[in-house]
Amino acid sequence: MDRSIHEITLPLKVIIGSGILDKIPDYLSKMKFTNQYRAGIITGPTTYNVAGRIVEESLKNNGYNVEVWKARDARMETANQIVEETKTHSIKIFLGVGGGKSIDLAKYAAYKNNGYMISVPTAASHDGIASPFASLKGTDKPTSTPTTTPYAIIADIDVISKAPPQLIRAGVGDLLGKLTAVKDWQLAHRLKGEYYGEYAAQLALLSAKHVIRYHELIASGNPDGIRIVVEALISSGVAMCIAGSSRPASGSEHLFSHALDLLAPGKALHGEQVALGTIMMLYLYGDPKWKKIKRIMKKIGLPTTAEEIGIPIETIVKALTIAHKIRPNRYTILGEKGLTEEAAWRLVRETGII
């Protein structure tokens, strides 16, 4: 590949507002889509009732042929099944309506079918709503799969505000991870000669700083606070689009989270794990901000200890020792040999995780 060529694909439109789900046909029309395009809604059993049905009815009322897939998981097997079924139905517009699973499945299906992906989040729990990557289970490693950049993002604040508060907090946790992800990217640039993009890095950092600044408003549950989280998550996703990789948004804190996914699947939300990892990775960097981040996490209700996150401390220590193996080509503060068990125990004690 010619390293002098850096191709950037960004979302065409970002629409954030209240009560906008039933206006999706209008937005599609403004993007030059017509009801000649077959539409596929990829959602979940719960999120279909929350938002998917409204989107389906509004599209059908405007003459669209619509098929609906209610996926219960985001495994590669499920993703490939949806790819084949959407191909059979000649789907061209792929609407991911729901949380991370639905949006990731829609991105993957659109990518495989050379279609247009519309991201319609029902929760602000992670930055996948705008990124060109999907987290699909059942692959060799629990890391991101390259897909397609969402053609548009349509975020209804009314819907997202009604999501469980834990999901909003997880979104903040995912954003806090950018503090260490960018440090890891800079480290890899200095020690390994890896490409580093200052603009993408600063954009990712801005998304983290934004939620730190407004954490009290976000914690209150005010719709203005929810909007801040949504905008910051989109900003982080765009940073990945600009970088051409997940580097500005995913570093050692994400490797730690992925390790927990292997050792204790389903025990905590992605953003909660990332935030806990961020505290420890900042400590490894010798950055005193880890104490401030931990205080903010406590204030907004994110878990800051093994007990609060519901994962045994022994599992957290084990995750710290194997995190560097999750993605060997991604250099971070964990280095190439990772942490020893002794160092991991010292880390959880020093940061008060235990």
Side-chain angles (χ1 to χ4, degrees):
M1 182 177 123
D2 185 348
R3 292 184 65 83
S4 65
I5 298 174
H6 186 71
E7 187 174 321
I8 298 173
T9 303
L10 300 174
L12 178 70
K13 273 193 183 298
V14 176
I15 302 160
I16 303 173
S18 297
I20 62 175
L21 281 188
D22 59 358
K23 296 182 176 67
I24 285 180
D26 296 335
Y27 300 138
L28 292 179
S29 178
K30 289 176 182 176
M31 288 181 270
K32 308 304 180 187
F33 292 116
T34 70
N35 56 18
Q36 299 305 305
Y37 288 82
R38 288 179 172 268
I41 296 173
I42 293 93
T43 184
T46 302
T47 49
Y48 175 76
N49 294 327
V50 170
R53 181 182 284 112
I54 297 171
V55 177
E56 180 188 13
E57 290 174 356
S58 65
L59 288 170
K60 284 183 174 177
N61 289 340
N62 282 269
Y64 280 89
N65 286 309
V66 184
E67 299 292 335
V68 178
W69 284 265
K70 300 174 190 174
R72 294 186 178 277
D73 61 65
R75 298 187 63 78
M76 185 59 81
E77 182 182 355
T78 304
N80 285 326
Q81 183 180 341
I82 291 173
V83 166
E84 291 307 313
E85 291 177 7
T86 50
K87 187 178 293 183
T88 301
H89 287 281
S90 301
I91 302 299
K92 201 64 181 174
I93 305 173
F94 296 76
L95 297 105
V97 182
K101 294 183 181 71
S102 302
I103 289 172
D104 283 349
L105 288 169
K107 282 191 286 190
Y108 184 75
Y111 174 68
K112 288 292 187 179
N113 284 298
N114 196 29
Y116 300 92
M117 191 275 166
I118 312 295
S119 176
V120 187
T122 58
S125 56
H126 69 94
D127 55 15
I129 61 178
S131 82
F133 301 96
S135 295
L136 301 173
K137 308 296 182 186
T139 56
D140 291 340
K141 291 283 174 66
T143 51
S144 300
T145 301
T147 57
T148 188
T149 297
Y151 194 73
I153 300 137
I154 301 171
D156 192 317
I157 298 301
D158 287 350
V159 172
I160 295 171
S161 296
K162 292 172 185 171
Q166 186 185 12
L167 295 178
I168 303 297
R169 293 195 291 266
V172 174
D174 197 23
L175 289 163
L176 292 175
K178 314 319 164 199
L179 298 172
T180 44
V182 170
K183 283 179 179 290
D184 287 327
W185 196 14
Q186 292 168 335
L187 186 67
H189 174 64
R190 289 194 297 267
L191 298 185
K192 299 293 181 180
E194 189 175 316
Y195 161 78
Y196 173 76
E198 182 67 22
Y199 186 85
Q202 290 303 319
L203 189 58
L205 284 177
L206 178 63
S207 67
K209 292 173 182 176
H210 203 51
V211 294
I212 289 170
R213 180 178 180 182
Y214 293 104
H215 69 273
E216 290 180 344
L217 178 62
I218 294 166
S220 73
N222 186 296
D224 288 340
I226 306 300
R227 181 184 284 263
I228 286 168
V229 177
V230 171
E231 290 173 348
L233 289 168
I234 292 171
S235 175
S236 176
V238 168
M240 287 187 261
C241 293
I242 293 171
S245 80
S246 59
R247 257 303 191 182
S250 173
S252 50
E253 75 299 323
H254 269 71
L255 295 180
F256 166 72
S257 176
H258 291 318
L260 284 180
D261 289 338
L262 288 176
L263 299 172
K267 291 293 185 183
L269 294 175
H270 170 76
E272 293 174 332
Q273 296 176 172
V274 166
L276 198 68
T278 300
I279 294 172
M280 294 186 283
M281 302 310 153
L282 283 173
Y283 177 88
L284 288 180
Y285 269 108
D287 189 333
K289 280 202 298 289
W290 73 267
K291 293 180 180 177
K292 176 184 177 182
I293 297 305
K294 187 174 181 181
R295 284 197 303 271
I296 289 172
M297 286 170 59
K298 281 186 174 180
K299 281 176 70 175
I300 67 173
L302 276 168
T304 60
T305 66
E307 183 179 3
E308 289 173 359
I309 203 168
I311 299 175
I313 191 64
E314 294 81 7
T315 305
I316 288 175
V317 168
K318 178 69 174 175
L320 286 168
T321 63
I322 67 168
H324 67 290
K325 298 177 183 178
I326 298 292
R327 199 167 181 176
N329 62 338
R330 176 146 295 186
Y331 192 80
T332 70
I333 188 65
L334 297 172
E336 291 165 341
K337 295 186 177 179
L339 297 183
T340 63
E341 188 174 341
E342 181 185 359
W345 275 108
R346 186 164 59 247
L347 176 58
V348 296
R349 289 192 184 99
E350 291 291 333
T351 52
I353 307 300
I354 186 172

